[in-house]
Amino acid sequence: MKVLLIDDDLELARAMQPVLKTYSIDLDAAQRPEDGLQKLKKNSYDLLLLDIMLPKINGFDVCRHVRASAGVYKHIPIIMLTARTDLTDLVVGLETGADDYVTKPFEPRELVARIHAVRRRFGVPENEPGGEHERREASFCFQIDGTHLVVDRVNARVYVGRANVPLTSMEFDLLVLLCKEAGRILNRDDLIFALQGVNRIYSRSIDAMIYRLRHKLRSVNSDVDFIRTVRGRGYSLIGQRVVNDMAGA
């Protein structure tokens, strides 16, 4: 696995490289945001580690830039690194499109675990509970007024009609959860617990992710909304469940 670190702390990069190497993770590093963005354009990485406190451009703006870019790297999983524990910073990081965050100082094993957890979101874990049932649920398909929503868990792809809808790993996770519980109203606590645990994601982030997810799904057909908001109660995925012939396409 090849990971890019954008952090102005040169000593951190030097210390992390041999440690991550023992976990089969090759770490490349850039001290300046502009250098990191150039590396993203020229090289292929599996994940981006992004410090919030950067010179000239902060990590939030770098994250926004990556997600808004036209390059293939716009969908790269992003883990934010922060020395601050302010709730607002953590929420903003997730709202800008980051997939997770790690608070400095951190243990190498914690970082490695977060890296693998984020990467697994784009596939079905081999040890996921459910056995045969989960294999049958490797994809989901719903339709409203002839418009189909297909969620292919194996290839981590989402389609509205025949159009591919790129999502961040956390947005994809959220959509899979809604599909699993289609028709059921899930409140914020349900979603928080199922996605990451109460200590790592917050109600405001859930609302922001639902907003982004809904916006992306409706970008193909604004007349069809697969996510229903039940005021004061939560969110639900709606639509008629149908047999899917697009998964793996």
Side-chain angles (χ1 to χ4, degrees):
M1 184 188 304
K2 191 171 183 180
V3 172
L4 174 64
L5 168 68
I6 302 180
D7 194 316
D8 60 340
D9 185 347
L10 183 60
E11 292 304 316
L12 176 64
R14 288 174 175 169
M16 287 174 59
Q17 282 173 329
V19 176
L20 293 183
K21 189 70 174 178
T22 64
Y23 294 93
S24 300
I25 298 174
D26 293 321
L27 184 69
D28 193 7
Q31 288 183 271
R32 300 188 303 173
E34 54 269 34
D35 294 338
L37 291 172
Q38 285 301 313
K39 283 178 176 287
L40 280 175
K41 293 176 182 178
K42 295 178 180 179
N43 305 290
S44 177
Y45 298 97
D46 298 297
L47 184 137
L48 172 62
L49 296 174
L50 180 58
D51 188 38
I52 291 178
M53 302 300 292
L54 292 170
K56 296 183 180 179
I57 309 173
N58 65 43
F60 300 136
D61 289 335
V62 174
C63 187
R64 291 188 185 97
H65 180 85
V66 170
R67 293 300 184 223
S69 71
V72 295
Y73 59 85
K74 72 178 294 181
H75 306 303
I76 188 172
I78 298 175
I79 296 179
M80 305 290 284
L81 305 179
T82 176
R84 300 166 62 177
T85 57
D86 186 271
L87 175 59
T88 301
D89 281 354
L90 304 181
V91 170
V92 170
L94 294 173
E95 289 179 347
T96 56
D99 298 289
D100 205 346
Y101 63 86
V102 175
T103 303
K104 297 178 179 180
F106 50 80
E107 290 289 334
R109 285 179 297 178
E110 178 193 5
L111 179 61
V112 171
R114 296 288 184 91
I115 289 172
H116 286 299
V118 168
R119 292 284 298 160
R120 281 198 302 269
R121 289 183 194 144
F122 279 100
V124 182
E126 294 179 2
N127 62 347
E128 186 173 356
E132 293 298 324
H133 175 71
E134 284 300 322
R135 282 192 283 274
R136 290 196 299 269
E137 296 297 308
S139 66
F140 302 95
C141 184
F142 299 87
Q143 71 92 17
I144 296 177
D145 296 333
T147 297
H148 289 76
L149 167 67
V150 176
V151 180
D152 177 1
R153 297 176 68 191
V154 176
N155 298 298
R157 294 178 179 176
V158 175
Y159 300 89
V160 175
R162 291 282 172 177
N164 178 238
V165 181
L167 302 178
T168 68
S169 64
M170 193 171 290
E171 290 164 355
F172 184 82
D173 244 14
L174 176 58
L175 181 56
V176 168
L177 176 59
L178 290 170
C179 288
K180 284 182 177 180
E181 302 292 340
R184 176 188 167 198
I185 299 171
L186 300 175
N187 61 37
R188 292 181 183 88
D189 289 341
D190 293 330
L191 297 171
I192 289 170
F193 182 80
L195 285 174
Q196 283 197 323
V198 295
N199 293 322
R200 294 173 56 202
I201 192 168
Y202 305 93
S203 295
R204 182 179 162 196
S205 296
I206 289 292
D207 293 337
M209 280 192 291
I210 288 286
Y211 173 83
R212 290 199 308 270
L213 178 58
R214 174 181 274 135
H215 176 75
K216 289 181 178 182
L217 296 179
R218 296 189 69 189
S219 66
V220 177
N221 185 346
S222 60
D223 293 328
V224 176
D225 190 353
F226 285 95
I227 300 176
R228 179 167 66 109
T229 300
V230 182
R231 189 177 298 276
R233 295 184 61 190
Y235 305 98
S236 175
L237 188 127
I238 60 174
Q240 179 185 359
R241 184 76 181 267
V242 295
V243 176
N244 166 37
D245 62 355
M246 282 183 62

